[in-house]
Amino acid sequence: MKLVLRLSLASLLCIAANAFGQTYPNKPVVMIVPFAAGGPTDVLARTLALAMGKQLKQTIMVENVGGAGGNIGVLRTVKAAPDGYTVLVHHIGMSTSPALYRKMEYNPLTDLAYISLIADVPMTLIARQNFPPVNFKEFVTYLKSNKDKLSMAHAGLGAASQLCGLLLTSTLQTEVLTVPYTGTAPAMTSLLGGQVDFMCDQTTNTTGQIQNGKVKVYGVTTKTRVASLPNIPTLDEQGLKDFEVAVWHAVYAPKNTPRPIQDTLLKAVREALKDQDLKDTLAKLGTEPVAANRQTPEVLRDFLKAEVDKWGPIIKQADQYAD
Ligand code: ASP
C-alpha cells in the first residue's frame, strides 16, 4: 500500500514537471525533413540535430518525409502532437507553396509554432559531367538551341531547386523539360548517372561533387562568391545581372507546442548555432548560421510573411500551379 502511494506521488511529480517542460525532453525528439535523405536540407538538419542533441541531452532522430516540394512533411508536422517531440526543418519552400498549390491543407502563417531561422544556403548551377558547354556563356547558348532535348531536375514544385530553375529559365526567356524528385539527393544520383542534364542545388549537396570534379559547375547563385568554392564565379558576374537566390532555412514545431517547450527548443537552436563542430561543417559546405539577432521566433514569423508576400506575385506571373 505504501509502495503504491509512493509510486503515485512520484508519477504525480513527474506529470507536474512535464507540464512545465522541466524534464523535457525525456525521450528522443523527431526532426522532420520534408525532402529525401542525403540531400541539402537533410544535411543541414542532421548537422543541427547533432548540435541540438548535445544541448538537449537527447537524441534527435531525423525522419525524411519527402514529396510535393516539402508539403507532405510540413503537413505531418502540422498534424503531429504539440508536445515538443516533433520539430521540422524546412526552407524557402514554406513561403512559396501558398502561391504554387491550389489546394493547401495548411496555412504556413498560422498553423505552426515558429522557432528560429538557421542558415541561408547558396545554390549552384550544375550539370552532368559530360554536358557539352564549358562555361556559363556556352550553357546559355546551348540551352536555348537545344531546349527540346534537355531536362532539368528539381525537388518538386515549391522546392528551392525548382524555384531557382524557374528563375533561371524565365530570366533567359526559355523553357525546358523538368523532372521532379522527392529531393535533390535522388536528383543528384540521376545527374551523376547522366539521366538528367542539369539542376540548381544548394552547396550543402553540391560542394563535394564539385570539388571532386563529378559534376560540371557554371556558377553560384549568390551576389558574392562562396568562400568554400572561391574559383566558381557568380552568375551575376557572368552577366545574369541581379540573379540572386539564397535558400533560407528555419525550425518549426506544431502549433500549440507549450511555450516553455518552444523556449527550450529556441535555446537549444541558438546554442547549437554557436557549436564549433556545426560551424566547421557548414563552412566546408559553403554556409554559416544566421546572425544571432535573426535567431528569434518573431524575426522568423515576420520574415516568412514577407517572403510569402514577395513570392506570391512572382509565381502567379510565371503561371506555375499544382493541384
Ligand atoms: N535542394 C532541395 C530543394 O530543391 C531540397 C532537398 O532535397 O533537400 O529544395
Side-chain angles (χ1 to χ4, degrees), residues 48-108:
L48 180 71
L50 215 61
M52 275 180 76
K54 282 191 215 165
Q55 297 303 321
L56 294 172
K57 299 189 174 42
Q58 262 301 343
T59 305
I60 303 198
M61 297 185 313
V62 171
E63 189 181 335
N64 299 88
V65 185
N71 275 321
I72 295 175
V74 180
L75 200 58
R76 172 82 74 86
T77 312
V78 167
K79 290 182 174 167
D83 57 6
Y85 291 96
T86 303
V87 295
L88 168 76
V89 169
H90 192 13
H91 64 27
I92 191 169
M94 186 69 101
S95 63
T96 55
S97 284
L100 284 165
Y101 288 81
R102 284 186 219 269
K103 277 189 235 136
M104 280 287 285
E105 289 185 59
Y106 67 92
N107 180 341

Side-chain angles (χ1 to χ4, degrees), residues 64-266:
N64 299 88
V65 185
N71 275 321
I72 295 175
V74 180
L75 200 58
R76 172 82 74 86
T77 312
V78 167
K79 290 182 174 167
D83 57 6
Y85 291 96
T86 303
V87 295
L88 168 76
V89 169
H90 192 13
H91 64 27
I92 191 169
M94 186 69 101
S95 63
T96 55
S97 284
L100 284 165
Y101 288 81
R102 284 186 219 269
K103 277 189 235 136
M104 280 287 285
E105 289 185 59
Y106 67 92
N107 180 341
L109 295 173
T110 53
D111 295 350
L112 290 148
Y114 308 89
I115 308 296
S116 177
L117 286 163
I118 46 179
D120 300 325
V121 183
M123 296 194 96
T124 47
L125 174 60
I126 58 167
R128 59 182 162 83
Q129 204 182 32
N130 56 356
F131 198 52
V134 296
N135 55 34
F136 182 61
K137 196 163 172 269
E138 280 190 29
F139 173 89
V140 174
T141 315
Y142 192 80
L143 180 62
K144 288 190 173 184
S145 45
N146 292 283
K147 61 177 194 239
D148 296 336
K149 296 184 211 128
L150 301 182
S151 56
M152 179 181 77
H154 65 76
L157 209 57
S161 43
Q162 186 262 335
L163 205 64
C164 177
L166 174 68
L167 280 179
L168 179 76
T169 48
S170 57
T171 308
L172 297 175
Q173 295 178 323
T174 188
E175 273 182 12
V176 68
L177 174 75
T178 63
V179 187
Y181 293 80
T182 55
T184 44
M188 180 68 89
T189 305
S190 285
L191 194 86
L192 294 172
Q195 284 97 32
V196 285
D197 295 308
F198 70 97
M199 73 169 165
C200 269
D201 196 18
Q202 285 106 298
T203 53
T204 32
N205 195 30
T206 63
T207 303
Q209 308 292 1
I210 292 170
Q211 286 168 343
N212 294 327
K214 300 279 185 220
V215 295
K216 238 173 207 167
V217 58
Y218 296 108
V220 296
T221 64
T222 37
K223 268 282 169 71
T224 52
R225 290 190 184 203
V226 174
S228 57
L229 296 168
N231 301 327
I232 313 301
T234 68
L235 294 178
D236 179 277
E237 72 186 85
Q238 295 181 90
L240 211 58
K241 283 291 154 224
D242 296 326
F243 188 89
E244 187 176 15
V245 187
V247 187
W248 61 269
H249 295 73
V251 180
Y252 306 83
K255 187 179 176 172
N256 299 328
T257 299
R259 175 58 58 189
I261 291 181
Q262 289 188 40
D263 292 344
T264 304
L265 286 169
L266 174 62

